[in-house]
Amino acid sequence: MANLNKVFLMGRLTADPELRYTQTGTAVADIRLAINRNYKTQSGEAREDTCFVDVVLWARQAEIVKKYVTKGRPIFIEGRL
């Protein structure tokens, strides 16, 4: 059987990205996404749940997200666990 480790996330940033560098000079950015899910209960009541996901970006992706993305902006992430 083949293996697959792929994740797609769409949400909004809860804060501006935090950029730092490792001792070797590699950029690392920490971001947090708020992902909303709308649904109806069995009784027909509309509900909304929010899931918060921490994401770590490396190298050039970390520098790009710091430059172009700010709190509240929608973002689409493709990656792996």
Side-chain angles (χ1 to χ4, degrees):
M1 176 169 71
N3 296 308
L4 178 65
N5 183 359
K6 190 168 230 34
V7 175
F8 297 98
L9 300 170
M10 290 177 68
R12 293 189 179 272
L13 260 60
T14 62
D16 290 339
E18 298 175 19
L19 182 65
R20 64 184 190 280
Y21 291 89
T22 64
Q23 290 180 347
T24 60
T26 304
V28 181
D30 294 318
I31 61 173
R32 188 161 194 203
L33 294 178
I35 302 168
N36 295 326
R37 178 175 77 105
N38 297 313
Y39 65 96
K40 288 188 179 183
T41 62
Q42 288 181 340
S43 63
E45 179 185 1
R47 291 260 176 115
E48 181 178 14
D49 282 339
T50 304
C51 176
F52 296 96
V53 179
D54 295 323
V55 179
V56 179
L57 303 167
W58 290 87
R60 185 72 178 130
Q61 290 178 340
E63 293 171 342
I64 290 171
V65 80
K66 177 63 176 171
K67 185 175 180 180
Y68 293 107
V69 183
T70 56
K71 178 182 177 180
R73 297 285 308 265
I75 191 169
F76 175 80
I77 301 287
E78 178 184 347
R80 61 184 171 83
L81 295 178

